[in-house]
Amino acid sequence: MRESRSVNPNFGNLVKHLRRKRSMSLRQMTEATGISESYINRIENGFRICPSFPVIEKLATVLGVTPNLLLEVSSNNQESVVLLEELLYTNDFTLNGVKSVSPGTKELILNLLDLVNDVSWDKDTIIADIYEVIQVVNDLKQELSV
């Protein structure tokens, strides 16, 4: 009997995110990888079991990431939930080619997410809310350009 290869639901979301970040259509992915549009679509929408290693290698190459990243995400089926703060501060990561995001940048990212979550967007406060979000976004952009 064949063993079922379960896949983390984040795997398909990551593939879709990376494809869109590269401004690639499903057709362009097919042309670049030789993998059918329907197969890629099923991966992105979580309707496929974990793809084989050769498929992961092709996807990784076209998406500009390592196969290890896709393998790690595909096999990580942890049930535990981690605070975003813990995730950001206990891991190094890159953002749009910035080598290693500084603790200050991590704090600004968290501030932006907290602000977006907290603003009310009421008609009486929407202008002030938008201004506050713009200020935090500007602070983040300045930090990233350093």
Side-chain angles (χ1 to χ4, degrees):
M1 181 192 292
R2 242 174 107 160
E3 182 180 325
S4 173
R5 295 184 316 226
S6 65
V7 64
N8 183 319
N10 291 323
F11 176 74
N13 291 330
L14 175 62
V15 171
K16 185 184 289 186
H17 170 77
L18 293 171
R19 175 178 62 80
R20 288 179 174 170
K21 188 172 181 177
R22 295 178 82 80
S23 300
M24 295 183 77
S25 67
L26 285 172
R27 182 173 305 241
Q28 290 169 320
M29 280 287 291
T30 293
E31 291 168 359
T33 62
I35 303 166
S36 75
E37 281 183 55
S38 64
Y39 189 86
I40 295 169
N41 186 52
R42 288 189 310 245
I43 288 172
E44 289 183 350
N45 291 301
F47 298 121
R48 282 298 294 163
I49 59 172
C50 186
S52 66
F53 185 73
V55 168
I56 288 177
E57 275 186 312
K58 290 176 186 179
L59 291 171
T61 299
V62 170
L63 296 172
V65 296
T66 65
N68 286 346
L69 171 65
L70 294 182
L71 286 169
E72 184 177 324
V73 172
S74 72
S75 65
N76 184 2
N77 282 321
Q78 293 181 7
E79 295 294 325
S80 64
V81 176
V82 178
L83 288 172
L84 182 58
E85 293 87 348
E86 180 183 343
L87 184 66
L88 287 178
Y89 285 118
T90 58
N91 292 284
D92 286 329
F93 60 92
T94 63
L95 184 63
N96 291 335
V98 175
K99 277 293 184 195
S100 183
V101 174
S102 72
T105 301
K106 292 175 183 182
E107 182 176 354
L108 288 170
I109 291 168
L110 289 170
N111 289 345
L112 179 58
L113 292 172
D114 286 342
L115 179 61
V116 168
N117 188 51
D118 293 342
V119 292
S120 62
W121 304 115
D122 292 332
K123 73 176 189 174
D124 296 334
T125 64
I126 194 163
I127 300 300
D129 292 341
I130 291 170
Y131 182 74
E132 192 174 359
V133 169
I134 289 170
Q135 283 183 309
V136 175
V137 168
N138 189 53
D139 292 345
L140 179 58
K141 289 192 71 67
Q142 287 179 353
E143 176 77 18
L144 291 172
S145 67
V146 173

